[in-house]
Amino acid sequence: MVQSYLRHGPTQAFGLICSSTSNSLYDGKLAYVPALEDVLVWDMKKGQMLSMWHETGHRSEVTCMCRSPQENIFAVGYADGSVRLWNSAFVSVIATFNGHQKSVTALAFDAQGARLASGSQDTDIIMWDVVAEAGLYRLRGHRNQITTIQFLSEPELPSTSTGSRSHMLLTTSKDTFMKLWDTSTQHCVQTIVAHRSEVSSLDIDPEKNFIFTGSSEGEVKAWKIDHESLSQGLVENEAGEVAKMIHPVTSLPLSSRHRVSQILFHPSQPYLAVQSHDRSIEIFRIRTEEEIRKKQARRKKRAKEKGKSKQKGKDIDDAVEDTMDVDQEINVIDLFTPYLVVRASAKVRSFDFGSKETVSKPGVQLFVALSSNALEVYNIPPPTKSKEETPEATRMFSVDLPGHRTDVRTLCLSADDQILASASNGSLKLWNLKTTACIRTIDCGYAICSTFLPGDRHVAIGTKSGEILIYDLASSALTETVKAHSSTVWSLHVRPDEQVLVSGSADKEVKFWEFERNVLSNDEVKKSMTLNHTRTLKMSDEVLSVRYSPNGKLLAVALLDSTVKIFYQDTLKFFLSLYGHKLPVLAMDISDDSKLIVTCSADKNVKIWGLDFGDCHKSIFAHEESVMQVLFERKSHHFWTVGKDKMLKYWDGDKFENIQKLDVTGSHDKSIRVWEKLDEPLFLEEERERELEQIYEDGIANALNRPDISIVNNGEADEQPSGEAAAVTKQTSETLMAGERIIEALDLADAERAAFQEYEGKVAHAGSLEAAGMQPPPRNPILAAYDLEPEAYVLRVVEKISSTALHDALLVLPFDKVVSLMRYLDLWAQKGWNISLVSRILFFLLKIHHHQIVTNRVMRTALIPLRVHLRRSLRREKDTIGYNLVALQHLRRRTEAERTAQFYEEEDFDEEKVRAKIAEGKKRKRVSIKA
């Protein structure tokens, strides 16, 4: 009988507040932050996690996030090149877009939220239709990773022009270029060498007059948008040169010259934020025209006074003339004045302004996501008239308790599996494993190893400095500090009889400590646990790991010389030496029956040894990188290994088989993951077959997605992708399977129709008596089960394919199946079934297979009736939509008329009050600025 195992599956990851893989978003109350492959929503005021956006089975990290102008819609880009649209109200995925080969690095919605532009490490920009859930086109031109994307819309001025001003797209890349694209013609209309180094950030001011770009050398440049040239398009001027749409203006001086990682304008307040240092964000205030005029007047006055004190006559006139020149024009540099610097408590990963206005406190909220797994919100005070008070940002909220600031170095479980202790450099945290809530946070040193002490009321921590720290969990207090070793304590282990703790250190010593329980006070019985040093075992090299056998007879010690020494624990007499690893053994464990010891090493191998004679049963090449930890399952010879290759693996120690591979997103991410044993059985042969199928499917998809082959409009494979615009295609295992489903449905339907046509032909040729005795052919079981006609079944299969995967699935079809599908399109158009889908499929197939369709005479018979039927159906659809549009316009006009009448019929109507109310809602005045 084939042996079966039980499968293990992941549960929720915890201990993670935010990861540093992506930018974060903030709306004034809620923060939307990346957490490896998920997105977390935090209430910053309460410090609570409200929801987690998680898609089952998806393991790629979040690399970019963007909010849509439409409410509750967010675009999230991932490391595998996919983009998902999430609805935050229902915590569900609306659509998935697959088009990029590498991770998504930039996202932007247009003003209506109907189109989404995405940029990637593969240097391509893809425009997506959010409503139709389809890729429109791919823009090529940049030579390195895309860093930012912005839609360039016209300023909000009344205009009757219907030109292409709202069809402009602005992109920056690590190739030092800034490009302006006309999305109506899908071409680049201007390329600007923005900086000498990588262009790392970009933003456009709310008035749509200026563009600010930041480079990796710490330089911020301002560019002016020529809206007149934008409206005219590519037009030559008198000199015969094409008029430029973006002009350089000036540079913005910064206090530091580090990489400008983010530039952001406040959507409604006069603030500009620039991050050019790891821990600080510079805030600039945008001054009004009136303020600048006042400042110029003060300069003029000072110049006059200075002239009076030094010279008289001509010099005074010159000074007045200079100041008069200043009065006539306003420079961009005068608009932006340094206001304050927000200094965060750790390295800043990204920041965002609170988009919703807050009533609680005057000023502007600045949200900061830190690389140290923490979130902070600062309040930027409004400007005051007094010169003595320098404005300072104050921290309003912070979320940092539910996670570690630095890498988690050690984990240990209590005896009842209820509490998990995790320790890092600076903190020890206790977690309730059922609720994954952080119960306690205690300050500690640089923790290297840890263990629960007998009774589960105390935790012992081994530190880098050689100390053993004993913590009482009930009082969250450090009860004892033992200066145990002169160097790093690498390993701690409690003897099975719970009487002795053994510690191994880099000072080449193994020390044994007995537990002593003391009563601290007479009034209240408080028991404290202390360590009493009893014995020391000196070794020939640094000790990396120590382990007692579960029967309490043996002690295993792993040394830096790549060997493991086995001693009798009572007499410390040498028993066995296990040698064979080429690099040091980093961890080991002994099975519950004390018969096997498994060791893992930096040489990527795991070795299984017998404890009777020290013979090596098997050496397994387990991981692609160093194997960091190994542990046996209780009461079995199955064990787990984890390595630096981000994999967690499950092994059978008797058969030396790999049972299951689990993909962990990565180390150093400060998250803690729990994997649980499921009831689902696992068979090794099936698991190996599934892995091979996955490799095969990925191989096919990768071969079809080769960058040197692109499908162009005439259906030919163009070896070198020429031109700036290209089709959006990416084959995945999902699209390949969808194409196979369409082929299977076409085969089934064709066979069914052929059988019935043959039957009808026989009936027509036979006499009336013979025809009455003829039995119709049996229906296909699938069609009979669904009670569908063949054409209805094909439509059902096609409709089930997601809109985003449909085009890629149609590319899989061979040409004979395309001819067959055309016949069904004719039937669907004739019956008026899902005309929008019929039109979309037809136009795509005609575009892709244009040459074959034109040269193939068979297609003519199918296309002529299809044209007639489709035109009739489309005309019917057009009439319906037109009727509905006119009805909606009528309703809107009637509603506006009723609202206007109601407004004028109010009793306390006063013209002056209304004018004052309108004036309050006006935007800031525009300033005429000269470069």
Side-chain angles (χ1 to χ4, degrees), residues 152-155 159-168 227 230-231:
L152 189 60
S153 57
E154 59 197 284
S159 174
T160 54
S161 170
T162 56
S164 60
R165 282 184 286 174
S166 60
H167 300 295
M168 291 295 179
H227 287 287
L230 276 179
S231 59

Side-chain angles (χ1 to χ4, degrees), residues 63-64 77-79 81-83 100 102-107 118-121:
T63 54
C64 190
Y78 294 86
S82 63
V83 178
H100 291 292
K102 295 182 180 177
S103 64
V104 179
T105 53
L107 291 167
S118 64
S120 165
Q121 282 183 354

Side-chain angles (χ1 to χ4, degrees), residues 446-459:
Y446 197 136
I448 297 292
C449 55
S450 62
T451 181
F452 271 90
L453 298 184
D456 287 342
R457 291 177 176 272
H458 299 82
V459 170

